[in-house]
Amino acid sequence: MYLNRRQIMAGSGALLGAGLIGGQAQAQDLEPNTWEEITNYNNFYEFGTGKDDPAAHAHMMTTEPWEIVVDGLVDNPGTYSFAEIMEGMTVEERIYRLRCVEAWSMVVPWNGFELADLLEGVGVQDGAQYVAFETLNRPEEMPGLRFPVLEWPYREGLRLDEAMHPLTIMATGLYGEPMPNQNGAPIRLVVPWKYGFKSIKSIVRITLTADQPLASWNMAQPREYGFYSNVNPNVDHPRWSQATERRIGGGLFASRQDTLMFNGYEDEVASLYEGMDLSEFF
Amino acid sequence: MLVDRINRGLRLVPPWALYIVGAAWAAWLFYLGATGGLGVEPIEALEHEYGEIALQLVILGLVVTPLRQIAGINAFKFRRAIGVVAFFYVLAHFLVWALLDVQSLSRVWADIVDRPYITIGMAGFALLIPLAVTSNNLSVRRMGAAAWRKLHKLVYPAALLGAVHYVWLAKGFQLEPMIYLAVVLGLLALRLPVIRTRLAS
């Protein structure tokens, strides 16, 4: 249809760009967590607040058919099927660190495409400054929605330049397999330099806005979860330190490791926040 | 009838059985954590298991008196064992947190000072230490029964601190910690003089 920037570019430049990023990720020699670890230790409160709840209950979620409403300040608003969204998108593997705000971390081999490609396809209008996202809100398939842990539906947002950054992907799989439900099937956001809760799962709505959108955790506890929520070892969560993290999979006697600025993507993303006081805009 | 049968059954169980079961269960959980049986993040899992069992046991200890007042069931001979085992679960919870989770003395101290939910958790733990130390007949004799009973009322604030600690560390608005807090508040309310005299009459 029209989501085909990659094809117009004949793939070469785009793949080169992806190759550079992929090369950086590989150069950091990241050893991915196992499939079992990635799919059995999740926060997806729509299925319960326990780490094993998503793996236990997410099979109830219907992911086929799947539609995403794209609206707000775009040239081509509408309701797109998952297949229409995927048309012309180049899916690649991106091995990224994932750092949860709870001070644990993983390395995940995602499959996905750059969010920038999708946004260019729908035509971002002048005046759009932010991208807002919403998660599926279907109580009969999501038992966790019975409890007002957060104000549902789950919402998240990015500044437009963050959303357009080549590291920001829409992920549709991991380890080359279709995205498991508990990891945010069929399509989720992955923003590797921000705490995990920014990478919203099972997306049903994407809205381009002029104003900073609502974000669920920020609405619930603004002092604890800022809109930016960039991984930052020097800015503690009010209730725990963010200086170190525990890598999942090390067992009962695993050592903590130091948390990296911007989760190790400082070279790529620090320029987005030049001149901002990161302890104020946390 | 049923009450008599329960009381007869309780008389058959020796209190030391609680120590055996409590120690065996803690060791079993540790073994599970070390061998993958508690999932891919066993440190947090073990920490939570020990903490939750500790809170459940503290609550169980607070149930003994109203159980006799309201239902006529006499479990007093277990109360000391319940309290001591509860204390050891709090200790285990603390040790997992300090040694396996935080892994550094300076950070442990910083957390206790900086983080209110840890501060109150530690305060609750500290309140239980004199109770654990005096949980023996010699202490009762030395202190005198009245003073001993007064000291052991510290379990009331300790239970409250433990429950608030749990509510406070939950992300978002979660039900389970609220239920624990409600149960603790209910059991403490039964100790209010106005309610106690009504139960006794």
Side-chain angles (χ1 to χ4, degrees):
Chain A
M1 252 166 89
Y2 41 77
L3 301 174
N4 56 2
R5 168 179 157 249
R6 276 279 146 83
Q7 289 171 337
I8 294 166
M9 293 176 66
S12 59
L15 286 178
L16 183 67
L20 280 177
I21 288 171
Q24 277 161 344
Q26 257 105 51
Q28 291 164 339
D29 203 22
L30 291 175
E31 183 60 41
N33 279 79
T34 64
W35 172 268
E36 192 213 357
E37 287 158 357
I38 296 168
T39 57
N40 283 292
Y41 194 78
N42 312 98
N43 280 324
F44 199 161
Y45 282 13
E46 285 83 343
F47 297 105
T49 54
K51 292 285 185 297
D52 45 5
D53 283 336
H57 305 299
H59 64 88
M60 299 161 66
M61 177 171 64
T62 308
T63 57
E64 173 71 42
W66 191 269
E67 289 182 330
I68 300 181
V69 173
V70 180
D71 61 359
L73 302 169
V74 292
D75 296 329
N76 308 310
T79 302
Y80 296 98
S81 71
F82 179 67
E84 286 171 329
I85 290 278
M86 295 306 290
E87 242 168 72
M89 291 293 144
T90 308
V91 173
E92 1 175 289
E93 178 175 76
R94 296 283 182 94
I95 300 173
Y96 282 160
R97 291 187 196 82
L98 172 83
R99 169 62 155 80
C100 178
V101 72
E102 297 165 351
W104 55 267
S105 63
M106 286 184 183
V107 174
V108 185
W110 302 109
N111 313 106
F113 57 88
E114 289 181 21
L115 175 58
D117 292 352
L118 188 156
L119 293 177
E120 276 165 36
V122 298
V124 178
Q125 294 177 346
D126 290 346
Q129 300 287 332
Y130 295 91
V131 190
F133 303 88
E134 267 181 33
T135 293
L136 182 71
N137 183 20
R138 198 181 284 157
E140 64 274 20
E141 295 183 359
M142 299 171 131
L145 292 174
R146 285 191 301 239
F147 307 102
V149 179
L150 292 166
E151 202 180 306
W152 311 113
Y154 192 80
R155 279 159 280 201
E156 260 307 337
L158 296 172
R159 219 170 56 192
L160 188 59
D161 58 347
E162 296 173 326
M164 298 296 280
H165 193 281
L167 282 177
T168 303
I169 59 168
M170 294 292 271
T172 53
L174 55 93
Y175 268 114
E177 300 286 334
M179 187 69 75
N181 283 12
Q182 61 265 41
N183 296 87
I187 187 163
R188 68 170 291 173
L189 179 70
V190 176
V191 194
W193 70 92
K194 292 177 178 281
Y195 293 123
F197 68 86
K198 295 292 294 182
S199 294
I200 181 171
K201 293 177 168 134
S202 303
I203 294 168
V204 294
R205 187 183 198 124
I206 301 174
T207 310
L208 277 288
T209 64
D211 303 316
Q212 183 175 297
L214 291 170
S216 292
W217 280 107
N218 182 244
M219 291 154 67
Q221 282 148 317
R223 228 173 42 85
E224 298 194 348
Y225 308 99
F227 175 77
Y228 286 95
S229 286
N230 294 316
V231 176
N232 186 338
N234 310 315
V235 176
D236 282 350
H237 184 282
R239 288 184 287 145
W240 55 83
S241 163
Q242 295 290 27
T244 61
E245 63 199 58
R246 195 165 43 243
R247 171 82 191 272
I248 298 300
L252 195 53
F253 306 102
S255 301
R256 297 188 79 89
Q257 48 194 51
D258 289 339
T259 291
L260 303 168
M261 188 69 202
F262 294 115
N263 205 24
Y265 303 99
E266 188 171 12
D267 292 349
E268 291 94 332
V269 303
S271 57
L272 295 172
Y273 308 102
E274 241 165 80
M276 287 174 67
D277 178 351
L278 295 178
S279 58
E280 186 188 343
F281 297 97
F282 61 92
Chain B
M1 239 1 266
L2 178 66
V3 170
D4 290 341
R5 241 191 317 205
I6 291 173
N7 280 328
R8 268 203 302 277
L10 287 175
R11 276 200 289 275
L12 293 175
V13 182
W16 52 257
L18 274 187
Y19 294 112
I20 306 284
V21 172
W25 189 245
W28 170 243
L29 287 171
F30 192 88
Y31 167 80
L32 282 182
T35 54
L38 294 181
V40 299
E41 221 298 46
I43 299 171
E44 183 195 46
L46 194 64
E47 199 173 286
H48 290 183
E49 288 278 356
Y50 285 165
E52 198 163 344
I53 292 169
L55 192 53
Q56 288 165 350
L57 286 166
V58 167
I59 287 171
L60 193 63
L62 290 174
V63 165
V64 171
T65 299
L67 199 61
R68 190 170 63 176
Q69 286 173 326
I70 296 166
I73 294 169
N74 186 349
F76 271 86
K77 70 171 186 180
F78 297 105
R79 198 165 60 165
R80 175 179 294 173
I82 292 169
V84 172
V85 175
F87 171 79
F88 275 104
Y89 271 93
V90 177
L91 179 66
H93 172 68
F94 166 77
L95 288 174
V96 171
W97 172 73
L99 300 177
L100 298 180
D101 187 349
V102 182
Q103 300 176 1
S104 118
L105 261 182
S106 64
R107 276 206 305 263
V108 163
W109 184 245
D111 271 359
I112 292 170
V113 174
D114 294 344
R115 313 205 183 276
Y117 83 94
I118 293 179
T119 313
I120 63 167
M122 279 306 294
F125 177 37
L127 288 178
L128 292 178
I129 292 171
L131 309 196
V133 169
T134 57
S135 283
N136 53 69
N137 294 340
L138 183 65
S139 297
V140 181
R141 278 203 301 277
R142 278 212 181 132
M143 294 176 66
W148 187 92
R149 264 204 300 276
K150 200 167 176 181
L151 174 71
H152 280 249
K153 286 202 165 46
L154 284 178
V155 74
Y156 302 157
L160 192 59
L161 289 168
V164 172
H165 166 75
Y166 188 21
V167 168
W168 206 332
L169 61 83
K171 271 173 65 200
F173 177 78
Q174 295 192 34
L175 200 59
E176 205 177 347
M178 293 291 179
I179 293 171
Y180 277 99
L181 181 60
V183 170
V184 167
L185 287 172
L187 287 167
L188 294 184
L190 291 176
R191 268 79 184 175
L192 293 171
V194 51
I195 297 185
R196 246 205 343 246
T197 48
R198 199 173 295 178
L199 281 175
S201 60

